[in-house]
Amino acid sequence: MDIYVGQTKARWCLHSDLLSYHTTFFQTEKQKHSKIELLDEDPEAFELLVKWLYQGKLENVSDMPADKKWDYADSCQKLYTLCDRINIPQLKNMAIDQFRRGCNEAGLVPGPEEIKSIYDTTPPDSPLRKLISQIAARQIMDPEGECDAASYRMCFEGNADFAIDLVAAIRVSDFRYFELPERAI
């Protein structure tokens, strides 16, 4: 089965029986269209999908050199959204685990552009949204951090879900409360 991925339309020729074993998405698409195009998907994320299909595993971000961890974490985040679209829950769970671990080990977190993209491409009940809103809440509430709520303006605009999820993440977290001043200034 030929599948074209990304803006460059990278061509992948994969065994249809293998694809069908893991998801009905590709067979359904093949019945609707003469060719399968996933032009909004990331080619590196699709490559991770193909490796998993043929090898049954993802690489462990903990085994990678430090300078590769963030790029791999980012690809795993995009793999998560791909798996959400094509309905492969087992790989989706593995992808979010590698994403979380990669962010932690790289010492980096998604910025507003990545967060906006995640909110634009995932459903409201997505576990990835919950994780991302927790990360953003932590960034905003960190008194030594460089991010404040204004840093996430592009995420708030046109997407009330992010604002709601962010407030919910702050409310349930164990961030320290700021002491109220004894008198008004």
Side-chain angles (χ1 to χ4, degrees), residues 28-184:
T28 303
E29 286 298 304
K30 190 70 171 167
Q31 291 169 358
K32 293 180 192 175
H33 308 286
S34 60
K35 60 182 177 179
I36 299 175
E37 293 183 326
L38 301 174
L39 304 182
D40 294 335
E41 299 299 338
D42 181 72
E44 291 177 20
F46 194 82
E47 184 175 347
L48 292 177
L49 167 66
V50 172
K51 286 180 180 178
W52 179 80
L53 287 170
Y54 285 93
Q55 299 172 358
K57 62 181 180 176
L58 287 178
E59 292 180 71
N60 187 343
V61 70
S62 297
D63 298 335
M64 296 181 172
D67 64 332
K68 303 284 184 203
K69 290 180 187 283
W70 172 250
D71 289 338
Y72 187 70
D74 188 50
S75 292
C76 285
Q77 172 262 302
K78 292 171 183 167
L79 174 61
Y80 178 94
T81 58
L82 170 62
C83 289
D84 200 40
R85 177 180 179 185
I86 65 175
N87 193 26
I88 303 181
Q90 179 185 5
L91 181 55
K92 188 168 82 167
N93 291 337
M94 294 168 72
I96 198 171
D97 288 344
Q98 289 298 312
F99 170 71
R100 183 192 48 74
R101 187 176 299 124
C103 288
N104 185 45
E105 292 181 14
L108 297 170
V109 294
E113 296 84 12
E114 291 95 353
I115 292 172
K116 183 173 181 345
S117 175
I118 290 166
Y119 268 79
D120 288 346
T121 58
T122 56
D125 62 345
S126 169
L128 183 59
R129 281 187 174 197
K130 183 175 181 177
L131 175 62
I132 292 301
S133 63
Q134 290 170 342
I135 289 170
R138 186 170 158 234
Q139 293 295 105
I140 290 170
M141 298 302 291
D142 183 354
E144 296 175 18
E146 297 175 15
C147 292
D148 60 10
S151 302
Y152 295 93
R153 179 177 303 281
M154 72 180 335
C155 300
F156 295 122
E157 293 172 352
N159 198 330
D161 288 347
F162 176 71
I164 292 166
D165 292 348
L166 182 66
V167 170
I170 291 170
R171 287 183 57 109
V172 300
S173 66
D174 53 349
F175 297 119
R176 295 181 186 204
Y177 295 101
F178 296 103
E179 291 184 27
L180 295 174
E182 291 181 21
R183 59 182 173 84

